[in-house]
């Protein structure tokens, strides 16, 4: 059978265009993904209502009983705080019940030299000093570090300081006072705890903005998926290179 010029051109185009396969690895299980979005929603509500509590709205005309605006704001703040705390306890449980990637939020291999070398590579990648990023099934080392420091350690600080302040309202002998009331006399006064809690809100808020930016940036520029991974659970790779 003779080969036409069109067949030769088609074969040439096929050879000139590199074939890249999209491989996938199942990384984040459904309970972890649900926790992620519940946690994101509760942090958003806590940040907005927390800012309004620290910067109250102007007084409204008429009877206070007709409005109760700050009361509702505080209620949503406290409700979101309970959701955040319950989700954190569940996330700690899932670190043991889930797969190996579920443990990353509570473990940090800082003793490995390779971890710090890869972390520096990611710093250079985000600073536009590297030509391309590396592939990771779970979090890359830089994201891993920030997740542990901000979400795990920062989340614990926010819960302890928040419930310590809440214990002033529930009173002596309440479970909030028994579990967290020790913090205020330890540091001297509740205003100091309030300042720590307020600063913590801004640290987490800045982290969330950077987290959203880097997730979108990685989906566009890197060799693997990010946003869709936290929806489907599958890490998609865009090429076959290591």
């Amino acid at each position: 059978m003779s080969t036409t010029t069109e067949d030769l051109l088609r074969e040439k185009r096929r050879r000139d265009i590199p074939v890249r396969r999209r491989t996938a690895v199942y990384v984040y299980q459904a309970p972890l993904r649900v926790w992620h979005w519940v946690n994101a929603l509760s942090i958003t509500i806590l940040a907005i209502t927390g800012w309004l509590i620290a910067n109250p709205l102007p007084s409204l005309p008429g009877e206070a009983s007709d409005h109760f605006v700050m009361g509702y704001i505080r209620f949503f703040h406290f409700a979101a705080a309970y959701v955040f705390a319950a989700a954190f306890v569940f996330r700690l449980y899932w670190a043991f019940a889930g797969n190996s990637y579920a443990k990353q939020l509570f473990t940090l291999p800082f003793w490995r030299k390779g971890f710090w070398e890869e972390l520096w590579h990611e710093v250079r990648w985000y600073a536009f000093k590297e030509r391309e990023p590396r592939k990771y099934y779970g979090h890359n080392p830089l994201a891993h570090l920030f997740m542990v420091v901000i979400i795990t350690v920062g989340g614990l600080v926010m819960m302890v300081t928040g419930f310590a302040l809440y214990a002033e309202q529930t009173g002596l002998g309440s479970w909030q006072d028994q579990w967290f009331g020790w913090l205020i006399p330890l540091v001297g006064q509740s205003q100091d705890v309030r300042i720590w809690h307020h600063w913590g809100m801004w640290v987490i808020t800045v982290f969330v903005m950077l987290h959203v930016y880097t997730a979108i940036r990685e989906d566009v520029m890197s060799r693997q998926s990010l946003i869709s991974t936290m929806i489907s659970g599958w890490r998609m790779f865009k090429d076959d290179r290591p």
Side-chain angles (χ1 to χ4, degrees), residues 82-100:
Y82 276 108
V83 171
F84 180 86
F88 189 92
V89 173
F90 169 79
R91 184 63 181 83
L92 181 60
Y93 158 76
W94 195 254
F96 297 94
N99 59 19
S100 59

Side-chain angles (χ1 to χ4, degrees), residues 108-120:
L108 191 68
F110 58 88
W111 59 87
R112 286 198 303 107
K113 181 182 178 181
F115 172 80
W116 296 104
E117 291 175 349
E118 293 172 1
L119 186 146
W120 178 241

Side-chain angles (χ1 to χ4, degrees), residues 142-224:
L142 185 61
H144 189 178
L145 175 64
F146 273 89
M147 286 293 178
V148 172
V149 172
I150 303 298
I151 300 300
T152 305
V153 178
L156 283 170
V157 170
M158 294 301 286
M159 285 188 290
V160 171
T161 55
F163 278 113
L165 294 170
Y166 190 54
E168 291 186 314
Q169 301 181 48
T170 56
L172 296 174
S174 63
W175 70 265
Q176 294 93 343
D177 177 64
Q178 293 175 358
W179 288 17
F180 305 101
W182 52 267
L183 182 63
I184 292 177
L186 179 66
V187 301
Q189 59 179 341
S190 61
Q191 185 59 31
D192 294 331
V193 179
R194 197 176 306 277
I195 290 174
W196 292 358
H197 196 69
H198 189 71
W199 285 353
M201 179 199 74
W202 283 112
V203 170
I204 293 177
T205 299
V206 172
F207 165 77
V208 168
M209 291 189 290
L210 292 174
H211 178 62
V212 172
Y213 160 72
T214 54
I216 296 174
R217 179 184 186 270
E218 289 299 278
D219 250 2
V220 175
M221 299 181 62
S222 76
R223 299 159 62 196
Q224 57 266 324

